[in-house]
Amino acid sequence: MMMFAVLTYANMRGVKAIDRIVELCERDIAFIWLTKGLKPKRDAFYELIRNKLNPEILEDLHYQFMRLLQKEGLVTLKELFIDGTKVEANANRYTFVWRGSINYHLAGLLDKIDNLYTRYNKLISDNEYEKKYNIPQMQMFIISGMERVREVIEKNRAHKIAKHKKLANNTVLEIDNCSPLELLKLRTRLKRIAEKENITFIIGKGKKKSEIQQLYEEIEECEERLLKYKKCYEILGNDRNSYSKTDISATFMRMKEDHMKNGQLKPAYNVQIAVENYFIVHSYVSNDRTDYNTLIPV
């Protein structure tokens, strides 16, 4: 319990390095009082952090602390005063990823993939590969919500000409059908055709590539981009429109103005604190940009 108190106090003072905490336990009067003159070593702190400070134990410690305060009559746990603030994340503020930007680029990528499917089907039809090698034509997958994305893109192009404000393009897409495996099937079938036709894929510049190889490489490039966008959507989920590449849990939020009156979007977290009689009873950290969805979890 003593070492947990030392770690808690050290974090309150912004000290997180274990070596620094060990040093303060020998020199700082507040730490010496907490340790009652003992001098815990760094290995003891690492042992505590690794093996004992798991979420279940921390939750139990918090419960015991609240019950002790209630027993002493310091809190009733019947009234709470909740307030929140936005805390800037320890992330690069210029590593943003926006849902609207991904939607825009995905629309262009899908147009290119649609063209590749057309070329693939034409190749199968013109050379009768379906009859020769039982390789059928294929239909492109459909992503629900893309109609809305394309509609906003067209409106923004018109707004740009008229110098009007750009519309947000944050439509949440159903990406279950957005599978790079579908493109992998195309590449596998093209590779099979090349083997049957004795077509060798060449490597290097200045050499003319066959139509099958050109199509194969273009599909491979689109497959890599599609996989990249799908990972971005999985990180965003359905509730966020942005995240930071150096801290994917952080959302870009409008922060309060600094001393230079610069209000800007920064990667941050929404921290809600519940207080009774000056004691912090509960806290809740989320990546919600507003407080609409934070009251019930608190």
Side-chain angles (χ1 to χ4, degrees), residues 185-201:
K185 291 178 183 177
L186 287 183
R187 290 199 297 119
T188 303
R189 291 176 181 182
L190 288 174
K191 193 76 173 178
R192 181 181 164 194
I193 292 172
E195 291 173 355
K196 295 288 186 180
E197 295 287 321
N198 295 321
I199 299 175
T200 305
F201 284 9

Side-chain angles (χ1 to χ4, degrees), residues 127-165:
N127 296 277
E128 298 183 345
Y129 289 138
E130 186 169 4
K131 294 181 180 179
K132 289 181 181 179
Y133 311 122
N134 194 26
I135 298 178
Q137 298 185 9
M138 294 185 65
Q139 297 296 321
M140 182 179 166
F141 50 84
I142 298 176
I143 299 179
S144 177
M146 281 308 301
E147 299 82 5
R148 172 60 182 164
V149 171
R150 297 182 190 279
E151 180 183 342
V152 175
I153 290 174
E154 292 302 321
K155 288 182 179 179
N156 281 333
R157 286 171 179 167
H159 284 204
K160 184 177 181 180
I161 296 174
K163 296 183 179 181
H164 291 165
K165 186 177 179 180

Side-chain angles (χ1 to χ4, degrees), residues 80-258:
L80 290 177
F81 300 88
I82 300 173
D83 193 14
T85 187
K86 294 174 182 176
V87 179
E88 185 174 356
N90 185 19
N92 192 322
R93 67 186 64 177
Y94 302 110
T95 58
F96 40 75
V97 177
W98 301 101
R99 184 187 295 276
S101 178
I102 301 174
N103 285 350
Y104 175 82
H105 291 293
L106 179 63
L109 177 62
L110 292 178
D111 289 339
K112 185 174 182 180
I113 292 175
D114 186 41
N115 182 35
L116 292 175
Y117 267 91
T118 302
R119 288 168 55 189
Y120 169 83
N121 290 332
K122 186 175 184 301
L123 180 70
I124 297 296
S125 175
D126 291 349
N127 296 277
E128 298 183 345
Y129 289 138
E130 186 169 4
K131 294 181 180 179
K132 289 181 181 179
Y133 311 122
N134 194 26
I135 298 178
Q137 298 185 9
M138 294 185 65
Q139 297 296 321
M140 182 179 166
F141 50 84
I142 298 176
I143 299 179
S144 177
M146 281 308 301
E147 299 82 5
R148 172 60 182 164
V149 171
R150 297 182 190 279
E151 180 183 342
V152 175
I153 290 174
E154 292 302 321
K155 288 182 179 179
N156 281 333
R157 286 171 179 167
H159 284 204
K160 184 177 181 180
I161 296 174
K163 296 183 179 181
H164 291 165
K165 186 177 179 180
K166 186 178 180 181
L167 300 175
N169 198 353
N170 296 324
T171 303
V172 178
L173 301 174
E174 296 292 337
I175 62 170
D176 293 338
N177 295 330
C178 179
S179 175
L181 294 176
E182 297 298 320
L183 297 182
L184 179 60
K185 291 178 183 177
L186 287 183
R187 290 199 297 119
T188 303
R189 291 176 181 182
L190 288 174
K191 193 76 173 178
R192 181 181 164 194
I193 292 172
E195 291 173 355
K196 295 288 186 180
E197 295 287 321
N198 295 321
I199 299 175
T200 305
F201 284 9
I202 59 176
I203 301 174
K205 296 181 180 180
K207 299 179 180 179
K208 184 173 177 59
K209 299 178 181 178
S210 63
E211 182 183 3
I212 290 180
Q213 182 178 354
Q214 292 177 14
L215 186 57
Y216 181 93
E217 291 178 352
E218 290 182 43
I219 292 173
E220 185 177 26
E221 179 188 354
C222 290
E223 183 183 334
E224 292 174 357
R225 288 180 59 192
L226 189 60
L227 180 61
K228 175 183 174 182
Y229 293 155
K230 186 166 185 179
K231 287 182 178 178
C232 291
Y233 284 123
E234 289 173 351
I235 294 172
L236 287 170
N238 294 331
D239 302 323
R240 293 197 292 164
N241 292 325
S242 65
Y243 71 88
S244 170
K245 293 178 182 177
T246 52
D247 184 355
I248 61 176
S249 297
T251 302
F252 277 80
M253 306 179 186
R254 181 69 64 181
M255 305 293 287
K256 295 178 180 178
E257 293 182 345
D258 57 18

